[in-house]
Every structure is written in C-alpha cells, then in structure tokens.
Amino acid sequence: MIQILKIVGIALVVAFLQAFIINQVDLGFWLHPMPYLVVLLILPINFNKFGYLFTAFIFGTLIDLLSGSFGMHAASCVAMVFFKYHIENRFIDFESLQLQGESYLKIHSKGWPVFLYYTLTLIAIHHLVCFSLEFFSINYLLDILLSTVISTVGTLLLILLYKNIFNH
C-alpha cells in the first residue's frame, strides 16, 4: 500500500512538472522531453496487465487534462504500457528480479545494456505514437522521426537525472 501511495505521489508531482514547467519552456522544434514516463517505468512487475493499461489511461488522461492535448498522452501511454508488458515477458526474468527484491527493472539489477534497451524502446514507442498523433500527416514523417529520436534521448536523460537525484 505504501508503494502505491508513493507511485501516486510521484505521478502527481511529475504530471504537474510536465504540464506547468516543461511544456511551457521552448526547447526547440524537435525536443519535447516527457519525464512523466518514469511513473510508467516504475510500476511493479507483478501488476495485472489490465491494471497497467487502466493506470496508463488514467495517468495519460491526467496529463492531457493538465496540458490540453486531447488524448495524445493517454493513447501514447496505453500503447507504451501495452508493449511494456510484452517486452518484459520476452526479455526480463521476473523471478530473478523478485529474488533480488526488486519490484521493477533498475539499472543495477540487470546492468546498463538491458536497462538502456528496455527504457529506450519503451520511450521511443511512446514518442512515436505521441508525435504521430500530434502531426497526424504522412507529409511530416521526417519531423515525426526526428522528434521521436531527439525527444527519446532528452527524456532518457531526464529520467536518468531523476533516478540519480532520488536514488530510484
């Protein structure tokens, strides 16, 4: 129960940080970091699949309501969590994480290569869906791809900064 309250608290703080600070700062045309994805990355591994999807939808809807983006973040978060479940089942050994006492994948539990592959893949899926919905035209394919790549790196750097500051 304490872990759930901790995740809800982190979610609210990061949602307000995203909507009222990060979205208001102009970082360029292609850089749109979204550090709120850390909330979806720290969800427990023993959580129900439909609980993941429902949580992602509610959290994405909260981000949409705060930033006025009409469902882009909700759809992106649901797509990310859908693929997160499949990526975790395919590449991560749950039993070894649970034996280590971990509730989600951390850098020290499997090492840098696995952590980077896992987080970069999920962040790229989220950003690809988000920017495809934002631009919503095949004419902007280059902008979608460049925004996805540059924002994925920016988001990963902010998530790593968060993990170092708060020792997650």
Side-chain angles (χ1 to χ4, degrees), residues 1-17 36 38-40 42-44 47 51 54-56 58-59 62-63 66 104 162 168:
M1 183 68 178
I2 292 175
Q3 184 180 12
I4 292 173
L5 291 175
K6 183 179 172 182
I7 291 173
V8 168
I10 292 169
L12 292 175
V13 168
V14 175
F16 282 101
L17 178 75
Y36 69 86
V38 73
V39 173
L40 300 176
I42 63 171
L43 288 176
F47 208 52
F54 182 73
T55 303
I58 295 298
F59 184 63
L62 174 67
I63 298 291
L66 291 174
Y104 59 92
Y162 166 81
H168 262 274

Side-chain angles (χ1 to χ4, degrees), residues 27-48:
L27 298 172
F29 183 72
W30 289 312
L31 180 60
H32 305 283
M34 299 178 195
Y36 69 86
L37 296 178
V38 73
V39 173
L40 300 176
L41 293 173
I42 63 171
L43 288 176
I45 58 174
N46 57 358
F47 208 52
N48 183 355

